[in-house]
Amino acid sequence: MYDDDDLAEIREAHEEWAEETRDPVVDRFGERKDRFATVSNLEIDDIYTPEDVADLDYTEDLGFPGEKPYTRGVYPTMYRGRTWTMRQFAGFGTAEETNERFHYLIENGQTGLSTAFDMPSLMGKDSDDPLSDGEVGKEGVAVDTLRDMEVLFDGIDIGEVTTSFTINPSAPVVYAMYVALADERGVPRDQIGGTFQNDMLKEFIAQKEWVIPPEPSLDLVTDTVEFAAEETPRIRPISISGYHIREAGSTAVQELAFTLADGFAYVEAAVERGLDVDEFAPQLSFFFNSHNSIFEEVAKFRAARRIYARVMEEWYDAEDEKSKQLKFHTQTAGQSLTAQQPLNNIVRVTIQALAGVMGGTQSLHTNSFDEALALPSEEAVRVALRTQQIIAEESGAADSIDPLAGSFMVESLTDEVEEKAMAYIEEIREMGDGSVRDGVLRGIDEGYFHREIQDASYEYQSRVEEEEEVVVGVNKYEMDEDTTLELLHVSDEVQERQLSRLEEVKAERDDDAVEAALAELERAVDDGENVMPVLVDAVKAYATMGEIMQLFESKYGSYQEKIGLA
């Protein structure tokens, strides 16, 4: 962008400024810190100049929105056409209570639903399982059978509203229930839209919710990818999730690299299944964290799009431009929220949400200020949603596409994040002898990802404890305070009501039909068929979550037992 003479002149002026203008002030007054760095510990220079982006090729590295390499956004008009989808997590207690919260959010302007499930549902256990006792409905909604799904979406047009489902080991079952619900209501399958997290690789890397081992888990995910491509084109069957990798303590670079590596592993698994990359890749989606270092986060999102576009074309022969467009959901950083001075979290979330918007996210979830203490209250959820609406309607941040493009700092950080993330991805690929899929599976088995994240987490916490990293209200600006808030409480009666509905469903259903459906599912597993079509039939017969997941566990084995936790 600058010729050699320009750069030489700028370099000389920079050195002159540093020596004559900056250094005398630093020598006399010093600076606030000995070293300035992002949350991920990338060093930040005092100023950035064209020297830092001397190798930037506008056409190859930036381009225009809606065109390769998509650094500046995947759509030509971005938020000038329509704003991002505003999602808030909802899910607690019974399906009736969550349905009520869904309606509340829609009435307050939310444009997409996002469903949280309780721990038994996440782990594929029925509410009447002994291990579920005390956990039913506590951190999300309990879903045992199709009946719960019917109640959950009562009065909601699933052909119009898109829904995100945060569920992983048992995601194929919930996906089958949603398809069955559409069939029941007469909504064509090609009209239902939404996203299933369904990212099992990141579970083994970071979040650690699993039932069966990694390889059969990957096969089940591939079943959903294949089924979605054929039956539900508006459903995104996987939300390849860096969010939990970051929450586990990774750096921004590790979050990006490990997430993209997981994504490429899913691509390779689907291609190995016989699918053409352009059949399914447009339905893949990603899910990133947005933390406090606003420029690092913007750089991460921009680098993500650029890496994805290039790799999908060069490594996997994608031809459809939609296959090269990385589309993603963003959630603000739960790990950054503090129980101390909880109202400070509103400011943190605003900064993080702004980074997501300026980084070009397709949908956004803003955490509630009380989430370090309990499930969010209605007031806290409303403030979180209003934060997005103020950014969209009042801040001007959504009025120009990629507004930080051309910033010497942001472009330099984008290049740095891209380079470091690609180094990780290449390392993982080498671990798999040229296969990212095999490299990821090997990395899981050998603890590679755990070690990398653990080291990064330890390094960050050390900086917090040494006050190199300031957390306002925790290690600086502390105060004696009463942090009592009006918190959401899930009554113990929730479990009783859920058990009563489950018992009622079991009493009313046709046991012979359930037995036949489960036998057909077992045959499909044994024959290596895609299990999704028979899963839909099984949930229509009101087979329970636990019955289905127990069948998978009996066929594939328990990962808990494999690693000695059972």
Coordinates of all heavy atoms in Angstrom, one line a residue, residues 33-104:
K33 N 2.6 1.1 32.7 CA 3.0 -0.3 32.8 C 4.4 -0.5 32.2 O 4.8 0.3 31.3 CB 2.1 -1.3 32.1 CG 0.6 -1.3 32.6 CD -0.2 -2.2 31.8 CE -1.7 -2.2 32.2 NZ -2.5 -3.1 31.3
D34 N 5.1 -1.5 32.6 CA 6.4 -1.8 32.0 C 6.1 -2.4 30.6 O 6.9 -2.3 29.7 CB 7.2 -2.8 32.8 CG 7.7 -2.2 34.1 OD1 7.8 -0.9 34.1 OD2 7.9 -2.9 35.1
R35 N 5.0 -3.1 30.5 CA 4.6 -3.8 29.2 C 3.1 -3.8 29.0 O 2.4 -4.0 30.0 CB 5.1 -5.3 29.3 CG 4.8 -6.1 28.1 CD 5.4 -7.5 28.3 NE 5.2 -8.4 27.1 CZ 4.1 -9.1 27.1 NH1 3.2 -9.1 28.0 NH2 3.9 -9.9 26.0
F36 N 2.7 -3.5 27.8 CA 1.3 -3.4 27.5 C 0.9 -4.7 26.6 O 1.7 -5.0 25.7 CB 0.9 -2.2 26.8 CG 1.0 -0.9 27.6 CD1 2.2 -0.3 27.9 CD2 -0.2 -0.4 28.2 CE1 2.3 0.8 28.7 CE2 -0.1 0.7 29.0 CZ 1.1 1.3 29.3
A37 N -0.1 -5.4 27.0 CA -0.5 -6.6 26.3 C -2.0 -6.8 26.3 O -2.7 -6.2 27.1 CB 0.2 -7.8 26.9
T38 N -2.5 -7.6 25.4 CA -3.9 -8.0 25.4 C -4.2 -9.0 26.5 O -3.3 -9.5 27.1 CB -4.2 -8.6 24.0 OG1 -3.6 -9.9 23.9 CG2 -3.8 -7.7 22.8
V39 N -5.4 -9.3 26.6 CA -5.8 -10.4 27.6 C -5.1 -11.7 27.3 O -4.7 -12.4 28.2 CB -7.4 -10.6 27.5 CG1 -7.7 -11.9 28.3 CG2 -8.1 -9.4 28.1
S40 N -4.8 -11.9 26.0 CA -4.1 -13.1 25.6 C -2.6 -13.0 25.6 O -1.9 -13.9 25.2 CB -4.5 -13.6 24.2 OG -5.9 -13.8 24.1
N41 N -2.1 -11.8 26.1 CA -0.7 -11.5 26.3 C 0.0 -11.3 25.0 O 1.3 -11.5 24.9 CB 0.0 -12.7 27.1 CG 1.2 -12.1 27.9 OD1 1.2 -10.9 28.2 ND2 2.1 -13.0 28.2
L42 N -0.7 -10.9 23.9 CA 0.0 -10.4 22.7 C 0.5 -8.9 23.0 O -0.3 -8.1 23.5 CB -0.9 -10.3 21.5 CG -1.4 -11.7 21.0 CD1 -2.3 -11.5 19.7 CD2 -0.3 -12.6 20.7
E43 N 1.8 -8.7 22.8 CA 2.3 -7.3 23.2 C 1.7 -6.3 22.2 O 1.6 -6.5 21.0 CB 3.8 -7.4 23.1 CG 4.5 -6.1 23.6 CD 5.9 -6.3 24.0 OE1 6.4 -7.4 23.9 OE2 6.6 -5.3 24.3
I44 N 1.4 -5.1 22.8 CA 0.9 -4.0 22.1 C 1.9 -2.9 22.1 O 2.4 -2.4 23.1 CB -0.4 -3.5 22.8 CG1 -1.5 -4.6 22.8 CG2 -1.0 -2.2 22.1 CD1 -1.9 -5.0 21.4
D45 N 2.2 -2.4 20.9 CA 3.1 -1.3 20.7 C 2.5 0.0 21.1 O 1.3 0.1 21.1 CB 3.6 -1.2 19.2 CG 4.4 -2.4 18.8 OD1 5.0 -3.1 19.8 OD2 4.5 -2.7 17.6
D46 N 3.3 1.0 21.3 CA 2.8 2.3 21.7 C 2.0 3.0 20.5 O 0.9 3.5 20.7 CB 3.8 3.3 22.2 CG 5.0 3.5 21.3 OD1 5.1 2.8 20.2 OD2 5.9 4.2 21.7
I47 N 2.6 2.9 19.3 CA 1.8 3.4 18.1 C 2.1 2.4 17.0 O 3.1 1.6 17.0 CB 2.2 4.8 17.7 CG1 3.7 4.8 17.2 CG2 2.0 5.8 18.7 CD1 4.1 6.1 16.4
Y48 N 1.2 2.4 16.0 CA 1.4 1.6 14.8 C 1.4 2.5 13.6 O 0.8 3.6 13.6 CB 0.2 0.6 14.7 CG 0.3 -0.5 15.7 CD1 -0.2 -0.3 17.0 CD2 0.8 -1.8 15.4 CE1 -0.1 -1.3 17.9 CE2 0.8 -2.8 16.3 CZ 0.4 -2.5 17.6 OH 0.4 -3.5 18.6
T49 N 2.2 2.2 12.6 CA 2.4 3.0 11.4 C 2.3 2.1 10.2 O 2.2 0.9 10.3 CB 3.8 3.7 11.5 OG1 4.8 2.7 11.2 CG2 4.1 4.3 12.8
P50 N 2.4 2.7 9.0 CA 2.4 1.9 7.8 C 3.5 0.9 7.7 O 3.4 -0.1 7.0 CB 2.6 3.0 6.7 CG 1.9 4.2 7.3 CD 2.3 4.2 8.7
E51 N 4.5 1.0 8.5 CA 5.6 0.0 8.6 C 5.0 -1.3 9.0 O 5.5 -2.4 8.6 CB 6.7 0.4 9.6 CG 7.5 1.6 9.2 CD 8.5 2.0 10.3 OE1 9.6 1.4 10.2 OE2 8.1 2.7 11.2
D52 N 4.1 -1.3 9.9 CA 3.5 -2.5 10.5 C 2.6 -3.3 9.5 O 2.3 -4.4 9.8 CB 2.7 -2.2 11.8 CG 3.6 -1.6 12.9 OD1 4.4 -2.4 13.4 OD2 3.5 -0.4 13.2
V53 N 2.2 -2.6 8.5 CA 1.4 -3.3 7.5 C 2.0 -3.1 6.1 O 1.3 -3.1 5.1 CB -0.1 -2.7 7.5 CG1 -0.8 -3.1 8.8 CG2 -0.1 -1.2 7.3
A54 N 3.3 -3.1 6.0 CA 4.0 -2.8 4.8 C 3.7 -3.9 3.7 O 3.7 -3.7 2.5 CB 5.5 -2.7 5.0
D55 N 3.4 -5.2 4.2 CA 3.2 -6.3 3.3 C 1.7 -6.5 2.9 O 1.4 -7.4 2.2 CB 3.8 -7.6 3.9 CG 5.3 -7.5 4.0 OD1 5.9 -6.8 3.2 OD2 5.8 -8.2 5.0
L56 N 0.9 -5.6 3.4 CA -0.6 -5.8 3.2 C -0.9 -5.5 1.8 O -0.6 -4.5 1.2 CB -1.3 -4.8 4.1 CG -2.9 -5.0 4.1 CD1 -3.2 -6.2 4.8 CD2 -3.5 -3.7 4.8
D57 N -1.6 -6.5 1.2 CA -2.1 -6.4 -0.2 C -3.6 -6.2 -0.1 O -4.3 -7.1 0.3 CB -1.7 -7.7 -1.0 CG -2.2 -7.6 -2.5 OD1 -3.3 -7.2 -2.7 OD2 -1.4 -7.9 -3.3
Y58 N -4.1 -5.0 -0.5 CA -5.5 -4.7 -0.3 C -6.4 -5.8 -0.9 O -7.3 -6.3 -0.3 CB -5.9 -3.4 -0.8 CG -7.3 -3.0 -0.4 CD1 -7.6 -2.4 0.8 CD2 -8.3 -3.4 -1.2 CE1 -8.9 -2.2 1.2 CE2 -9.7 -3.2 -0.9 CZ -9.9 -2.5 0.3 OH -11.2 -2.3 0.7
T59 N -6.2 -6.1 -2.1 CA -7.0 -7.0 -2.8 C -7.0 -8.4 -2.3 O -8.0 -9.1 -2.1 CB -6.7 -7.1 -4.3 OG1 -6.8 -5.8 -4.9 CG2 -7.7 -8.0 -5.1
E60 N -5.8 -8.9 -2.0 CA -5.6 -10.3 -1.5 C -5.9 -10.5 -0.1 O -6.5 -11.5 0.4 CB -4.1 -10.7 -1.8 CG -3.8 -10.9 -3.2 CD -4.6 -12.0 -3.9 OE1 -4.7 -13.1 -3.2 OE2 -5.0 -11.8 -5.0
D61 N -5.6 -9.5 0.8 CA -5.8 -9.6 2.2 C -7.1 -9.0 2.8 O -7.5 -9.4 3.8 CB -4.6 -8.9 2.9 CG -3.3 -9.6 2.6 OD1 -3.3 -10.8 2.3 OD2 -2.2 -8.9 2.5
L62 N -7.6 -8.0 2.1 CA -8.8 -7.3 2.6 C -10.0 -7.5 1.6 O -11.0 -8.1 2.0 CB -8.5 -5.8 2.8 CG -7.5 -5.5 4.0 CD1 -7.4 -4.0 4.1 CD2 -8.0 -6.1 5.3
G63 N -9.8 -6.9 0.5 CA -11.0 -7.0 -0.5 C -12.1 -6.1 0.0 O -12.0 -5.2 0.7
F64 N -13.3 -6.6 -0.4 CA -14.6 -5.9 -0.1 C -15.6 -6.8 0.6 O -15.5 -8.0 0.4 CB -15.2 -5.2 -1.4 CG -14.3 -4.2 -2.0 CD1 -13.4 -4.4 -2.9 CD2 -14.4 -2.8 -1.5 CE1 -12.6 -3.4 -3.5 CE2 -13.6 -1.8 -2.0 CZ -12.7 -2.1 -3.0
P65 N -16.5 -6.3 1.3 CA -17.5 -7.1 2.0 C -18.3 -8.0 1.0 O -18.6 -7.5 0.0 CB -18.4 -6.1 2.7 CG -17.5 -4.9 2.9 CD -16.6 -4.8 1.7
G66 N -18.4 -9.2 1.4 CA -19.2 -10.1 0.5 C -18.4 -10.8 -0.6 O -18.9 -11.5 -1.4
E67 N -17.0 -10.5 -0.6 CA -16.1 -11.0 -1.6 C -14.9 -11.6 -0.9 O -14.5 -11.1 0.2 CB -15.7 -10.0 -2.6 CG -16.9 -9.4 -3.5 CD -16.4 -8.4 -4.5 OE1 -15.2 -8.0 -4.5 OE2 -17.3 -7.9 -5.2
K68 N -14.2 -12.6 -1.6 CA -13.0 -13.1 -1.0 C -12.0 -12.0 -0.8 O -11.9 -11.1 -1.5 CB -12.4 -14.1 -2.0 CG -13.2 -15.4 -2.1 CD -12.4 -16.5 -2.8 CE -12.1 -16.1 -4.3 NZ -11.5 -17.1 -5.1
P69 N -11.2 -12.1 0.3 CA -11.2 -13.3 1.3 C -12.1 -13.2 2.5 O -11.9 -13.8 3.5 CB -9.7 -13.3 1.7 CG -9.4 -11.8 1.8 CD -10.1 -11.2 0.6
Y70 N -13.1 -12.3 2.4 CA -14.1 -12.1 3.4 C -13.6 -11.5 4.7 O -14.3 -11.5 5.7 CB -14.9 -13.4 3.6 CG -15.5 -14.0 2.4 CD1 -15.0 -15.1 1.8 CD2 -16.6 -13.3 1.8 CE1 -15.6 -15.6 0.6 CE2 -17.2 -13.8 0.6 CZ -16.6 -14.9 0.0 OH -17.2 -15.4 -1.1
T71 N -12.4 -11.0 4.7 CA -11.9 -10.3 5.9 C -12.8 -9.2 6.4 O -13.0 -9.1 7.6 CB -10.5 -9.7 5.6 OG1 -9.7 -10.7 4.9 CG2 -9.8 -9.1 6.8
R72 N -13.5 -8.6 5.4 CA -14.3 -7.4 5.8 C -15.8 -7.8 6.0 O -16.6 -6.9 6.2 CB -14.1 -6.3 4.7 CG -12.7 -5.9 4.5 CD -12.6 -4.5 3.9 NE -13.1 -3.5 4.8 CZ -13.2 -2.2 4.5 NH1 -12.8 -1.8 3.3 NH2 -13.7 -1.4 5.4
G73 N -16.1 -9.0 5.9 CA -17.5 -9.5 6.2 C -18.0 -10.4 5.1 O -17.5 -10.3 3.9
V74 N -18.9 -11.2 5.4 CA -19.4 -12.2 4.5 C -20.6 -11.7 3.6 O -21.0 -12.3 2.6 CB -19.9 -13.5 5.2 CG1 -18.7 -14.2 5.8 CG2 -20.9 -13.2 6.3
Y75 N -21.2 -10.6 4.0 CA -22.3 -10.0 3.3 C -21.9 -8.6 2.7 O -21.2 -7.9 3.4 CB -23.6 -9.9 4.1 CG -24.1 -11.2 4.6 CD1 -24.2 -11.5 6.0 CD2 -24.5 -12.2 3.7 CE1 -24.7 -12.7 6.5 CE2 -25.0 -13.4 4.2 CZ -25.1 -13.6 5.6 OH -25.5 -14.8 6.0
P76 N -22.4 -8.3 1.5 CA -22.1 -7.0 0.9 C -22.5 -5.8 1.7 O -21.8 -4.8 1.7 CB -22.8 -7.1 -0.5 CG -23.0 -8.5 -0.8 CD -23.2 -9.1 0.6
T77 N -23.7 -5.9 2.4 CA -24.2 -4.7 3.1 C -24.0 -4.9 4.6 O -24.2 -3.9 5.3 CB -25.6 -4.5 2.8 OG1 -26.4 -5.6 3.1 CG2 -25.8 -4.2 1.3
M78 N -23.7 -6.1 5.1 CA -23.6 -6.3 6.5 C -24.8 -5.7 7.3 O -25.9 -5.9 6.9 CB -22.3 -5.9 7.1 CG -21.1 -6.8 6.6 SD -21.3 -8.5 7.1 CE -21.0 -8.4 8.8
Y79 N -24.5 -4.9 8.3 CA -25.6 -4.4 9.2 C -26.4 -3.2 8.6 O -27.4 -2.8 9.2 CB -25.1 -4.0 10.6 CG -24.2 -5.1 11.2 CD1 -23.1 -4.8 11.9 CD2 -24.6 -6.4 11.2 CE1 -22.3 -5.7 12.5 CE2 -23.8 -7.4 11.8 CZ -22.7 -7.0 12.4 OH -21.9 -8.0 13.0
R80 N -25.9 -2.7 7.5 CA -26.7 -1.7 6.8 C -28.0 -2.3 6.2 O -28.9 -1.6 5.9 CB -25.9 -1.0 5.7 CG -24.8 -0.1 6.3 CD -23.8 0.4 5.2 NE -24.4 1.3 4.3 CZ -24.4 2.6 4.4 NH1 -23.8 3.2 5.5 NH2 -25.0 3.4 3.5
G81 N -27.9 -3.6 5.9 CA -29.1 -4.3 5.4 C -30.0 -4.8 6.5 O -31.2 -4.4 6.5
R82 N -29.4 -5.5 7.4 CA -30.2 -5.9 8.6 C -29.2 -6.1 9.7 O -28.0 -6.5 9.5 CB -31.0 -7.2 8.4 CG -30.2 -8.4 8.0 CD -31.2 -9.6 7.8 NE -31.8 -10.1 9.0 CZ -31.2 -11.0 9.8 NH1 -30.0 -11.5 9.5 NH2 -31.8 -11.3 10.9
T83 N -29.6 -5.9 11.0 CA -28.7 -6.1 12.1 C -28.5 -7.6 12.3 O -29.2 -8.5 11.8 CB -29.2 -5.5 13.4 OG1 -30.5 -6.1 13.7 CG2 -29.4 -4.0 13.2
W84 N -27.5 -7.9 13.1 CA -27.2 -9.3 13.6 C -28.5 -9.8 14.3 O -29.3 -9.1 14.8 CB -26.0 -9.3 14.5 CG -26.2 -8.4 15.7 CD1 -26.6 -8.8 16.9 CD2 -25.9 -7.0 15.8 NE1 -26.6 -7.7 17.8 CE2 -26.2 -6.6 17.1 CE3 -25.5 -6.0 14.9 CZ2 -26.1 -5.3 17.5 CZ3 -25.3 -4.7 15.3 CH2 -25.7 -4.4 16.6
T85 N -28.6 -11.1 14.4 CA -29.6 -11.8 15.1 C -29.3 -11.6 16.6 O -28.2 -11.9 17.1 CB -29.8 -13.2 14.8 OG1 -30.1 -13.4 13.4 CG2 -30.9 -13.9 15.6
M86 N -30.3 -11.1 17.4 CA -30.0 -10.9 18.8 C -30.6 -12.1 19.6 O -31.8 -12.3 19.6 CB -30.7 -9.6 19.3 CG -30.1 -8.4 18.6 SD -30.9 -6.8 19.1 CE -30.2 -5.7 17.9
R87 N -29.8 -12.8 20.2 CA -30.2 -14.0 20.9 C -29.9 -13.9 22.4 O -28.8 -13.4 22.8 CB -29.5 -15.3 20.4 CG -29.8 -15.6 19.0 CD -29.3 -17.0 18.7 NE -29.3 -17.3 17.2 CZ -30.4 -17.7 16.6 NH1 -31.5 -17.9 17.3 NH2 -30.4 -18.0 15.3
Q88 N -30.8 -14.3 23.3 CA -30.5 -14.4 24.7 C -30.8 -15.8 25.1 O -31.8 -16.4 24.8 CB -31.3 -13.4 25.5 CG -31.0 -12.0 25.2 CD -29.5 -11.6 25.5 OE1 -28.8 -11.2 24.6 NE2 -29.1 -11.8 26.7
F89 N -29.9 -16.4 25.9 CA -30.1 -17.7 26.5 C -31.4 -17.8 27.3 O -31.7 -16.9 28.1 CB -28.9 -18.0 27.4 CG -28.3 -19.3 27.2 CD1 -28.4 -20.1 26.1 CD2 -27.4 -19.8 28.2 CE1 -27.8 -21.3 25.9 CE2 -26.8 -21.0 28.1 CZ -27.0 -21.7 26.9
A90 N -32.2 -18.8 27.1 CA -33.4 -19.0 27.9 C -33.5 -20.5 28.1 O -33.3 -21.3 27.2 CB -34.6 -18.5 27.2
G91 N -33.8 -20.9 29.3 CA -34.0 -22.3 29.6 C -33.8 -22.5 31.1 O -32.7 -22.3 31.6
F92 N -34.9 -22.9 31.8 CA -34.8 -23.2 33.2 C -36.1 -23.9 33.5 O -37.1 -23.7 32.9 CB -34.6 -22.0 34.1 CG -35.7 -21.0 34.0 CD1 -36.7 -21.0 34.9 CD2 -35.7 -20.0 33.0 CE1 -37.7 -20.1 34.9 CE2 -36.8 -19.1 32.9 CZ -37.8 -19.1 33.9
G93 N -36.0 -24.8 34.5 CA -37.2 -25.4 35.0 C -37.9 -26.3 34.0 O -37.2 -27.1 33.3
T94 N -39.2 -26.2 33.9 CA -39.9 -27.0 33.0 C -40.1 -26.4 31.6 O -39.8 -25.2 31.5 CB -41.3 -27.3 33.6 OG1 -42.0 -26.1 33.7 CG2 -41.3 -28.0 34.9
A95 N -40.6 -27.1 30.7 CA -40.8 -26.6 29.3 C -41.8 -25.4 29.4 O -41.7 -24.4 28.6 CB -41.3 -27.7 28.4
E96 N -42.8 -25.4 30.3 CA -43.8 -24.3 30.4 C -43.1 -23.0 30.8 O -43.4 -22.0 30.3 CB -44.9 -24.7 31.5 CG -45.9 -25.8 31.0 CD -45.4 -27.2 31.4 OE1 -44.2 -27.3 31.8 OE2 -46.2 -28.1 31.3
E97 N -42.2 -23.1 31.8 CA -41.5 -21.9 32.3 C -40.6 -21.3 31.2 O -40.5 -20.1 31.0 CB -40.7 -22.2 33.5 CG -41.6 -22.5 34.7 CD -40.8 -23.1 35.9 OE1 -40.2 -24.2 35.7 OE2 -40.8 -22.6 37.0
T98 N -39.9 -22.2 30.5 CA -39.0 -21.7 29.4 C -39.8 -21.1 28.3 O -39.5 -20.1 27.7 CB -38.1 -22.8 28.9 OG1 -37.3 -23.2 30.0 CG2 -37.2 -22.3 27.8
N99 N -41.0 -21.7 28.0 CA -41.9 -21.2 26.9 C -42.3 -19.8 27.3 O -42.4 -18.9 26.4 CB -43.0 -22.2 26.8 CG -44.1 -21.6 25.8 OD1 -45.1 -21.0 26.2 ND2 -43.8 -21.8 24.5
E100 N -42.6 -19.6 28.6 CA -43.0 -18.3 29.0 C -41.9 -17.3 28.8 O -42.2 -16.1 28.4 CB -43.4 -18.4 30.5 CG -44.0 -17.1 31.1 CD -44.4 -17.2 32.5 OE1 -44.7 -18.4 32.9 OE2 -44.4 -16.2 33.2
R101 N -40.7 -17.7 29.1 CA -39.5 -16.8 28.9 C -39.3 -16.5 27.4 O -39.0 -15.4 27.0 CB -38.2 -17.3 29.5 CG -37.0 -16.5 29.3 CD -37.0 -15.2 30.0 NE -37.0 -15.2 31.4 CZ -35.9 -15.3 32.2 NH1 -34.7 -15.4 31.7 NH2 -36.1 -15.3 33.5
F102 N -39.5 -17.5 26.6 CA -39.4 -17.3 25.1 C -40.4 -16.2 24.7 O -40.0 -15.3 23.9 CB -39.8 -18.6 24.4 CG -38.6 -19.6 24.3 CD1 -38.9 -20.9 23.8 CD2 -37.3 -19.3 24.6 CE1 -37.9 -21.8 23.7 CE2 -36.3 -20.2 24.5 CZ -36.6 -21.5 24.1
H103 N -41.6 -16.3 25.1 CA -42.6 -15.3 24.7 C -42.2 -13.9 25.2 O -42.4 -12.9 24.5 CB -44.0 -15.7 25.2 CG -44.6 -16.8 24.4 ND1 -45.2 -16.6 23.1 CD2 -44.8 -18.1 24.6 CE1 -45.7 -17.7 22.7 NE2 -45.4 -18.7 23.5
Y104 N -41.7 -13.9 26.4 CA -41.3 -12.6 27.0 C -40.2 -11.9 26.2 O -40.2 -10.7 25.8 CB -40.8 -12.8 28.4 CG -40.1 -11.6 29.1 CD1 -40.8 -10.6 29.6 CD2 -38.7 -11.5 29.1 CE1 -40.1 -9.5 30.2 CE2 -38.0 -10.5 29.6 CZ -38.8 -9.4 30.2 OH -38.1 -8.4 30.8

